[in-house]
Amino acid sequence: MLRTLAQLRAARPTWPLVVVDDGTGSAFTDVFDAATALGAEVLTHARNRGKGVALKTGFEHVARTRPGMAVVCADADGQHAPRDIIAVADRLGADPLERRLVLGTRGLDGPIPLRSRLGNDLTRWLFTAATHLRLSDTQTGLRGIPPGLLSWATRVPGDRYDYELQMLLRAARAGIGLDTVPIDTIYLDHNSSSHFRPVVDSLRVYVPLVLFLASSLATFAVDTVALLLLEALTGDLLLSVVGARLTSAGINFAVNRRVVFDPRRRCRTGPALGRYAALAAVLLVLNYLTLRALTQVGLDLLPAKLLTELGLVSLSFAIQRRIVFAAPSQRAHKVMPPRQQVG
């Protein structure tokens, strides 16, 4: 950490440097005294509160003491070379008004500890399944955040390692762009300095993703079972599609609003329900027309249903994220104008 601070101070003398001591205790007082001597502000937690809380402490401090200044956050374990930190800052400073996060993404080639490789591969796959966005490195700690999104970043849930993935998930839902900058892949001594606990912290990371996917899977299951039952009872495809969709839509609206897209109740229920109903009506028509076309060419109802839902799920997700459950400020894409500074 001290080497990184010294190199950044030499390369960018005017940059404010902020270090968060997340409850390391008196044994490391000399390390943080040295950080202060290098010109860094040291913020101290009396006890360990987790990486997510430490990042939010830094964001809140910058927003309060240097309004209008952007933030580049980097890990303290030597994984991020100063030249890469500077590259992320330069990309962020090129257009600080833009509603986006800048991510320093590793190529993840060469000698990588097995737990890190497996964790990155699994998280990347789940992230793509949940958001329909491809991101090569979902676990990077090198991130640039414009001043207009610092307040948003402090409201993202998560106290420990789960926070960084939650940030990406919430950004995807809120229509915040994810801009990437290639960086070196560095693991010092097989990443032995990492405090990541493989079992406990992996659960913290993956549970939000599983919950994120569970809403769509549960709704699909309800809709499919209801469709098959109603079609068997009535023999009327249109009536069956409408009945199944009404049943599953009610469940989907409640779960998506309370768990997936709007747990903080930022959008009003009435307008959100109206937008959802309009979306459901459009999807209902598309669902019926697609199902009828597929069954008329000889495809059985169940595989026709699977193909139809796979084709419509991305459209439904994108509209719910950007319009149905977005707060008014998100739908209008309003960002407070910051000063063009990076820190």
Side-chain angles (χ1 to χ4, degrees):
M1 180 187 71
L2 294 176
R3 182 172 65 250
T4 300
L5 290 174
Q7 291 172 338
L8 286 174
R9 175 60 69 220
R12 293 292 187 271
T14 62
W15 274 12
L17 302 176
V18 177
V19 173
V20 181
D21 170 10
D22 188 28
T24 58
S26 58
F28 294 93
T29 298
D30 58 335
V31 175
F32 292 101
D33 286 345
T36 301
L38 288 168
E41 293 181 81
V42 177
L43 313 177
T44 303
H45 290 164
R47 58 179 177 82
N48 180 267
R49 299 175 62 189
K51 186 177 183 181
V53 177
L55 287 169
K56 293 175 193 178
T57 294
F59 298 156
E60 291 169 352
H61 175 79
V62 173
R64 183 177 64 254
T65 62
R66 296 179 178 84
M69 182 170 285
V71 169
V72 175
C73 52
D75 294 344
D77 58 0
Q79 285 197 44
H80 301 134
R83 63 178 175 275
D84 291 330
I85 297 172
I86 293 170
V88 169
D90 290 344
R91 177 71 65 85
L92 182 65
D95 191 356
L97 287 170
E98 192 172 353
R99 186 181 173 83
R100 60 172 179 153
L101 304 177
V102 178
L103 308 176
T105 55
R106 300 161 292 182
L108 299 177
D109 48 9
I112 300 174
L114 181 61
R115 71 173 184 178
S116 298
R117 182 178 292 279
L118 292 177
N120 275 296
D121 288 346
L122 178 59
T123 308
R124 184 170 64 249
W125 182 86
L126 288 171
F127 180 81
T128 300
T131 65
H132 303 280
L133 297 174
R134 292 189 178 276
L135 194 61
S136 62
D137 184 6
T138 58
Q139 296 183 319
T140 177
L142 180 54
R143 305 179 178 201
I145 305 172
L149 292 178
L150 281 180
S151 177
W152 167 85
T154 62
R155 298 193 301 272
V156 171
D159 293 343
R160 296 188 178 274
Y161 286 104
D162 55 317
Y163 171 75
E164 290 177 313
L165 184 57
Q166 286 274 26
M167 178 187 288
L168 298 183
L169 288 170
R170 303 282 166 161
R173 299 173 199 171
I176 296 171
L178 301 177
D179 190 9
T180 60
V181 175
I183 64 172
D184 292 337
T185 302
I186 303 173
Y187 284 101
L188 300 179
D189 192 21
H190 299 285
N191 208 25
S192 60
S193 66
S194 174
H195 295 134
F196 186 87
R197 297 165 295 178
V199 176
V200 175
D201 291 321
S202 291
L203 286 175
R204 290 181 181 273
V205 169
Y206 294 129
V207 163
L209 272 174
V210 173
L211 290 176
F212 194 82
L213 291 169
S215 171
S216 296
L217 293 175
T219 302
F220 169 72
V222 170
D223 193 55
T224 301
V225 171
L227 173 68
L228 295 175
L229 287 175
L230 289 171
E231 203 276 337
L233 291 173
T234 66
D236 188 321
L237 180 60
L238 177 58
L239 179 62
S240 301
V241 169
V242 172
R245 186 47 54 97
L246 289 175
T247 302
S248 63
I251 297 173
N252 185 253
F253 176 82
V255 173
N256 280 358
R257 181 170 187 266
R258 293 178 178 275
V259 179
V260 180
F261 293 105
D262 190 32
R264 294 179 180 272
R265 310 295 194 274
R266 294 169 301 173
C267 60
R268 296 171 57 191
T269 301
L273 183 59
R275 293 190 294 269
Y276 185 88
L279 171 63
V282 172
L283 292 176
L284 177 61
V285 173
L286 294 175
N287 191 284
Y288 171 70
L289 293 176
T290 307
L291 272 177
R292 189 176 69 174
L294 292 175
T295 53
Q296 284 181 346
V297 298
L299 201 62
D300 289 338
L301 183 58
L302 181 56
K305 175 65 173 174
L306 291 172
L307 289 175
T308 300
E309 292 300 330
L310 286 173
L312 295 178
V313 66
S314 296
L315 175 65
S316 175
F317 177 87
I319 295 176
Q320 288 187 59
R321 182 188 70 196
R322 295 177 180 272
I323 299 175
V324 174
F325 295 105
S329 59
Q330 293 172 334
R331 293 195 299 274
H333 295 285
K334 294 179 180 178
V335 180
M336 294 298 291
R339 297 197 303 269
Q340 294 191 13
Q341 302 182 55
V342 176

